[in-house]
Amino acid sequence: MSHLDNDLSLLGDAARGYLGRTHGLHIGGEDVATRHSYALIDPASGQEFARASEAGEDEVDRSVAAARNALEGEWKALRPHERERRLLKLADLLEAHEREISEVETLCSGRLLANTAGVDVQYSAHALRYMAGWATKLEGQTMRLSVPYVPEGDLRGFTFREPVGVVGAIVPWNVALGIAVWKIAPALSAGCTIVLKPAPQTPLSVLRFARLALEAGIPEGVINIVTGSGSAVGEMLVNHRDIAMISFTGSTSVGRAIAVQAAGQFKKYSLELGGKSPVILMEDADIDASAHAAAWAIFGNHGQNCCAGSRLYVHRSIHDAVIERVAQIANEIELSAPLRPGAAMGPVISRAHRERVSDYIEAGVAQGAKLVAGGRNPEHDGAYMRPTVLAGAESEMTPVQDEIFGPVLMAAAFDTEDEVLSLANDSRFGLGASVFTNDAERIHRMVERLEAGSVWINIHNALDVALPFGGWKESGVGNDLGEASVLAHTRLKASVHYHR
Ligand code: TAP
């Protein structure tokens, strides 16, 4: 067995129980089998290890009806502190099932066990606890009114924040459970119910999570999971008349189509889309530390991060030293099966995705960039690819403009602050950006001038549950995380009380 082969004997009993089964949908608290199923493929081997169900129109209708009944029934009747208590219990249960859930997510996605445990389980538990607290803190306003055409009497005004209704959530495969929890936790905290469609490749962790929610006392129908393809199940959710809000994370092209459909039906929507985030190293950046940060800003999660630092701009005075160091880090990363303890980098999601990423590397070289690390793929049935660095990147190159969503870094030198700001902002995306410098005045200027929803200083991709995370430009509309994401799941009601 080579170090690229996933050793399934490493799996615990609970995760092993997933192998070879067909997994149903989760509707109204029940496991629902469907007529059609599809294969779940281990990206590290290209082999089928289980099957998932393909929902049809009937099942989507049933899941929305279950969510609607729960919204008007038991969930609505619960006091806010009860919603809080149950979300807290769910966080504890999730942590108690860390091994099972992280192993299952690693099988589906090829992501490292350390990553699925750290992000999909531990970070999700943290997010659930943060969001649980908001259930008891949603407030309205109280005021005296002066309606001019009601000259006599006492008028008082109140605002209430009510749950928006049934939320339809659609999420990608790159952090499957983590992003699902970014949708589920604020929705439930605000009193909404939800129907969620995971990406077809990664349905199992969120199906398991939905069962844990029942154990935590979250009533049947509050969380429903329908699996299947985006073009079928996803579209049905977007167009369903009883869905009040669409919360989507995925590519900009799909997000654009969803926005058009949702707007036509006056649904609320929140879209977290693609990115092409710049990492900027100013002349005073520490070469070793910032090169290390820049390398892992793109190679972390195999480059499959929406805010991956996929463009690197280095001040010319330190450019060669930094690129040499980043290339050395890339060359030293050992590819390894993701279930292996201590693995540094596993496969990307599929061989088809690897081909797409490789095409971008070829395009970059053909358009004049210089390959300084990677670019070759190992001979193996798994979707492994070497971390790749291309220097001499120019703004017009396709791999500088497009989101690649793989371990490919496009690097360039710059001379002045104005020049690098204009390079960094020369993108249709605006998700994240980072600057490495200790010059306080420069930090203030650059934070203000960078066109991105998140700007990090001396670190890249630091997401806290208390801070809103969202994209500018074609990177999205609305926010996940923070108070903003809870308020987005509410709608305001104004009430006037009149006494003579
Ligand atoms: P997409 O291809 O956009 O798919 C995302 C989800 O949408 C999948 O469940 C997909 O199902 C579904 N979908 C596809 N077409 C649909 C339609 N017409 N109507 C409704 N749903 C539809 O993205 P992906 O390749 O899975 O994920 C990678 C993308 O997600 C990248 O662009 C990345 O930047 C973005 N992302 C953004 C963020 C944030 S927070 N901004 C975080 C993570 C990822 P199918 O797979 O069956 O098509």
Side-chain angles (χ1 to χ4, degrees), residues 170-175 179 182-183 197-201 228-236 238 248-255 257-258 261 271-275 304-307 353 403 405 429 431 463 469-471 475-476 480:
I170 300 170
V171 294
W173 42 261
N174 66 316
V175 187
I179 293 176
W182 288 11
K183 310 295 188 193
K197 190 201 91 65
Q201 301 89 336
S229 79
S231 52
V233 184
E235 277 208 42
M236 285 180 222
V238 173
F248 172 78
T249 294
S251 62
T252 293
S253 56
V254 174
I258 288 178
Q261 288 168 333
L271 307 170
E272 299 296 336
L273 309 177
Q304 302 167 131
N305 272 337
C306 53
C307 40
H353 187 56
E403 183 185 43
F405 222 57
F429 298 109
L431 194 54
L463 306 185
F469 176 64
S475 289
D480 278 329

Side-chain angles (χ1 to χ4, degrees), residues 286-307:
D286 176 285
I287 291 178
D288 252 7
S290 60
H292 186 267
W296 286 103
I298 179 66
F299 302 142
N301 211 24
H302 319 158
Q304 302 167 131
N305 272 337
C306 53
C307 40

Side-chain angles (χ1 to χ4, degrees), residues 35-363:
R35 253 180 302 155
H36 301 292
S37 68
Y38 63 90
L40 295 176
I41 305 290
D42 173 4
S45 65
Q47 300 294 314
E48 173 176 335
F49 67 90
R51 298 187 72 78
S53 299
E54 176 82 42
E57 204 166 348
D58 279 359
E59 287 93 9
V60 171
D61 275 348
R62 266 177 74 185
S63 65
V64 178
R68 187 112 219 122
N69 288 340
L71 180 78
E72 296 304 332
E74 208 184 331
W75 192 233
K76 188 176 194 166
L78 285 182
R79 289 185 168 184
H81 86 277
E82 269 302 323
R83 294 207 301 274
E84 175 182 31
R85 205 174 61 78
R86 293 168 200 215
L87 286 168
L88 292 173
K89 178 131 191 247
L90 180 53
D92 292 344
L93 281 169
L94 181 60
E95 281 177 339
H97 289 78
E98 174 176 316
R99 178 164 184 201
E100 172 188 359
I101 289 183
S102 57
E103 286 180 347
V104 160
E105 189 47 47
T106 288
L107 262 184
C108 288
S109 65
R111 290 164 55 220
L112 302 183
L113 210 45
N115 193 293
T116 55
V119 183
D120 294 85
V121 177
Q122 291 156 20
Y123 195 95
S124 292
H126 184 55
L128 281 164
R129 292 190 179 109
Y130 170 84
M131 291 297 170
W134 277 110
T136 54
K137 291 158 198 77
L138 293 172
E139 299 169 335
Q141 294 171 308
T142 307
M143 61 201 94
R144 303 260 326 253
L145 304 176
S146 27
V147 183
Y149 50 83
V150 185
E152 304 282 324
D154 183 28
L155 283 162
R156 290 176 192 233
F158 302 89
T159 64
F160 298 90
R161 282 204 176 265
E162 298 196 351
V164 72
V166 177
V167 176
I170 300 170
V171 294
W173 42 261
N174 66 316
V175 187
L177 181 58
I179 293 176
V181 168
W182 288 11
K183 310 295 188 193
I184 295 169
L188 267 54
S189 179
C192 298
T193 57
I194 196 161
V195 180
L196 181 135
K197 190 201 91 65
Q201 301 89 336
T202 51
L204 297 191
S205 55
V206 73
L207 281 167
R208 188 68 187 96
F209 176 83
R211 298 216 71 75
L212 291 179
L214 296 175
E215 274 181 51
I218 293 174
E220 294 169 357
V222 172
I223 302 175
N224 305 276
I225 311 295
V226 284
T227 55
S229 79
S231 52
V233 184
E235 277 208 42
M236 285 180 222
L237 278 182
V238 173
N239 290 313
H240 202 289
R241 66 174 193 285
D242 286 335
I243 298 251
M245 172 176 172
I246 294 292
S247 183
F248 172 78
T249 294
S251 62
T252 293
S253 56
V254 174
R256 181 177 280 117
I258 288 178
V260 170
Q261 288 168 333
Q265 302 165 61
F266 300 98
K267 286 187 199 322
K268 262 190 138 179
Y269 57 84
S270 164
L271 307 170
E272 299 296 336
L273 309 177
K276 193 77 198 175
S277 302
V279 175
I280 302 172
L281 272 50
M282 303 307 290
E283 57 267 48
D284 65 331
D286 176 285
I287 291 178
D288 252 7
S290 60
H292 186 267
W296 286 103
I298 179 66
F299 302 142
N301 211 24
H302 319 158
Q304 302 167 131
N305 272 337
C306 53
C307 40
S310 48
R311 292 183 290 147
L312 173 63
Y313 297 110
V314 188
H315 191 270
R316 199 172 301 280
S317 61
I318 56 169
H319 173 269
D320 292 355
V322 167
I323 298 302
E324 190 183 325
R325 186 77 191 97
V326 172
Q328 186 191 349
I329 294 169
N331 288 329
E332 283 171 3
I333 291 174
E334 199 187 337
L335 296 176
S336 162
L339 281 174
R340 288 178 187 270
M345 186 181 273
V348 295
I349 187 73
S350 65
R351 286 173 68 105
H353 187 56
R354 185 177 75 172
E355 294 318 309
R356 191 180 156 269
V357 175
S358 301
D359 287 348
Y360 274 112
I361 299 173
E362 273 178 33

